[in-house]
Amino acid sequence: EARRRPPPQGGDGKETDLATLGNLCVDVVLSVPCLPPAQRDERLAYMEGLAASPPDQKYWEAGGNCNLAFAAARLGLRCSTLGHVGEEVYGKFLLDVLEAEGISVVGMLENADVTACRQAYETLLCWVLVDPFQRHGFCSRADFSKEPAFSWIRKLPAETKIAIHHSKILFSNGYAFDEFSPDVIASAIDCAIDAGTSVFFDPGPRGRSLLNGNRDEQRALEHALRLSDVLLLTSDEAESLTNIGNPIQAGQELLRRGTRTKWVVIKMGSKGSIMITESAVSCAPSFKIRVVDTVGCGDSFTAAIAFGFLHGLPAISTLALANAVGAATATGCGAGRNVAHLDKVLNLLRESDLNEEGKTWTKLIEGLSACPEVSVLSKTPVNGSSDRFVNVVPVSGVVSDLLSMLEVAPERSTVQA
């Protein structure tokens, strides 16, 4: 446990910018002739066959919330990860990688049952399988258990509570439910609120299953959606949680349900992103790039949203930065340490080549019954607007402000821990 160190102590009590909860795993990235079968038993046998012959370390990569921590550190944020890492070779690898990136690891081994099955304490592995068509398949032991992988963690450890108190943001997502009980996740959110720590929550693909899960899962999901300061979802995920097809209206509904929610951020994939607040809607188209691999793009995007939140950036600037960071990661191969470095993000911002499809935003805005202030990022200068509700924001000014801030910010990953 010596290397699982808490954030350093300091004056204001918030020395860590961003702490991630759970979802610490090692991705084993393999090229396969075909993706694993859909049937559960066949899929389990397939995974066990892979595990029987551990692949060379060159195929290993830090995965899960490590992607977010790496991307955030490369924007200059101070990051820590809260979760369980085993003592086997995979755990050592994960700790080495995080330490090299200057990211603290706070373990959650308190109150463990030493008589439990050894596998219950092993580092989670996620098999990331890529077929000849560059389609991805994922499987891990968490997919085949009715209980969370670390069900032996029955309450939030004291060291984890301290780490949350010392963090400005606590991030959690739906995959945390694969590792921890709903009560542990809800306790972490409550701890953050008590400490004045902002809560970010991304339900991800698990949102739909949690919505239809057992009572504890439903209650914990509702708890996270209602009490988070910032919600992050894809347009499909927003629709699945609200039954509203228009992503702006779905975001407005999630904002209405929340008691603390300040931002609802909708990821629109290749189209861009949207932020909904109580008084405004901001839309930012994506950047034109040659996509190589989309794994880790959402995590990179979230890192930039956290940066904008902490630095008090305008909504449209935050979205522009998040789109650039996500796009920069998509131009590389794989996630983990392969997420974009700052120089690639800066180049995309300087080019400012937006993938503008005006009709995308027009259709969404026209569907609004209420008329909040709407801002749309654009590279095309507009003298006035035929729509008094839409404010067209020139990308040149937004990029100029971002560059002046980012060009002097060294990446945390180049600083010794």
Side-chain angles (χ1 to χ4, degrees):
E1 289 294 303
R3 297 171 62 198
R4 298 163 172 82
R5 46 195 166 78
Q9 301 295 309
D12 63 359
K14 298 285 185 187
E15 301 82 10
T16 299
D17 294 312
L18 172 67
T20 64
L21 179 66
N23 196 21
L24 295 179
C25 64
V26 173
D27 286 347
V28 182
V29 186
L30 299 175
S31 295
V32 294
C34 59
L35 296 181
Q39 207 278 331
R40 185 183 185 280
D41 292 342
E42 294 178 5
R43 193 178 184 87
L44 177 59
Y46 184 98
M47 188 187 73
E48 290 175 340
L50 292 172
S53 302
D56 191 277
Q57 188 168 325
K58 67 182 180 181
Y59 298 111
W60 302 2
E61 189 49 79
N65 277 339
C66 297
N67 300 328
L68 170 57
F70 293 157
R74 290 171 186 182
L75 289 173
L77 299 185
R78 300 164 296 180
C79 302
S80 66
T81 56
L82 319 178
H84 176 67
V85 177
E87 297 180 352
E88 74 299 303
V89 64
Y90 293 110
K92 181 180 183 301
F93 166 81
L94 196 56
L95 290 173
D96 286 342
V97 169
L98 289 166
E99 184 174 23
E101 293 282 335
I103 296 166
S104 300
V105 182
V106 179
M108 296 180 67
L109 200 56
E110 184 179 290
N111 304 315
D113 180 1
V114 295
T115 65
C117 171
R118 173 191 288 184
Q119 187 182 46
Y121 295 97
E122 292 177 352
T123 305
L124 276 181
L125 297 185
C126 179
W127 300 89
V128 182
L129 309 170
V130 186
D131 73 4
F133 300 99
Q134 293 301 301
R135 294 177 300 192
H136 294 81
F138 305 89
C139 56
S140 74
R141 77 168 191 264
D143 300 334
F144 304 98
S145 173
K146 293 182 179 179
E147 293 292 323
F150 305 137
S151 57
W152 44 266
I153 300 177
R154 303 193 185 281
K155 65 178 184 178
L156 203 64
E159 191 176 358
T160 306
K161 293 179 181 178
I162 293 171
I164 292 173
H165 274 256
H166 286 285
S167 303
K168 296 176 183 177
I169 293 174
L170 174 69
F171 172 84
S172 182
N173 60 20
Y175 293 116
F177 287 83
D178 292 335
E179 299 181 16
F180 308 130
S181 71
D183 285 346
V184 168
I185 296 169
S187 294
I189 292 172
D190 290 340
C191 177
I193 293 171
D194 291 342
T197 298
S198 299
V199 178
F200 279 42
F201 181 64
D202 184 340
R206 288 283 276 118
R208 180 186 291 272
S209 60
L210 294 170
L211 188 65
N212 299 303
N214 61 47
R215 184 175 299 177
D216 289 341
E217 290 174 335
Q218 292 176 3
R219 187 164 48 240
L221 174 64
E222 191 274 336
H223 193 73
L225 293 173
R226 182 170 55 85
L227 296 178
S228 292
D229 295 86
V230 177
L231 293 175
L232 303 109
L233 317 88
T234 66
S235 54
D236 289 339
E237 291 160 2
E239 181 177 1
S240 71
L241 293 176
T242 62
N243 292 317
I244 299 174
N246 183 310
I248 297 178
Q249 291 177 319
Q252 290 174 325
E253 173 61 19
L254 290 167
L255 193 69
R256 186 191 65 79
R257 295 180 187 178
T259 58
R260 293 165 37 88
T261 313
K262 301 175 181 66
W263 292 359
V264 176
V265 180
I266 307 293
K267 296 172 281 186
M268 300 288 290
S270 61
K271 296 177 182 177
S273 56
I274 304 169
M275 184 187 295
I276 300 99
T277 66
E278 186 175 351
S279 60
V281 173
S282 302
C283 307
S286 61
F287 290 86
K288 288 182 180 179
I289 57 166
R290 186 179 71 85
V291 176
V292 176
D293 192 346
T294 59
V295 174
C297 293
D299 300 310
S300 301
F301 177 94
T302 299
I305 296 294
F307 182 94
F309 184 86
L310 290 173
H311 288 82
L313 296 183
I316 203 76
S317 301
T318 300
L319 292 179
L321 177 61
N323 288 349
V325 176
T329 291
T331 62
C333 186
R337 291 164 293 177
N338 299 314
V339 298
H341 285 272
L342 185 58
D343 57 350
K344 191 176 287 188
V345 175
L346 295 177
N347 287 337
L348 277 177
L349 288 171
R350 292 188 189 106
E351 293 169 2
S352 298
D353 192 6
L354 296 181
N355 186 23
E356 293 192 270
E357 295 180 11
K359 292 183 179 180
T360 298
W361 312 117
T362 301
K363 289 179 181 178
L364 295 178
I365 294 166
E366 286 177 347
L368 301 179
S369 55
C371 295
E373 177 187 331
V374 178
S375 298
V376 178
L377 188 69
S378 176
K379 62 183 177 183
T380 306
V382 175
N383 296 321
S385 174
S386 58
D387 189 337
R388 63 189 178 94
F389 297 114
V390 178
N391 174 34
V392 177
V393 181
V395 68
S396 56
V398 170
V399 166
S400 177
D401 290 342
L402 288 173
L403 291 177
S404 65
M405 173 181 288
L406 293 168
E407 285 175 336
V408 297
E411 293 189 6
R412 292 283 300 173
S413 58
T414 63
V415 179
Q416 290 294 321

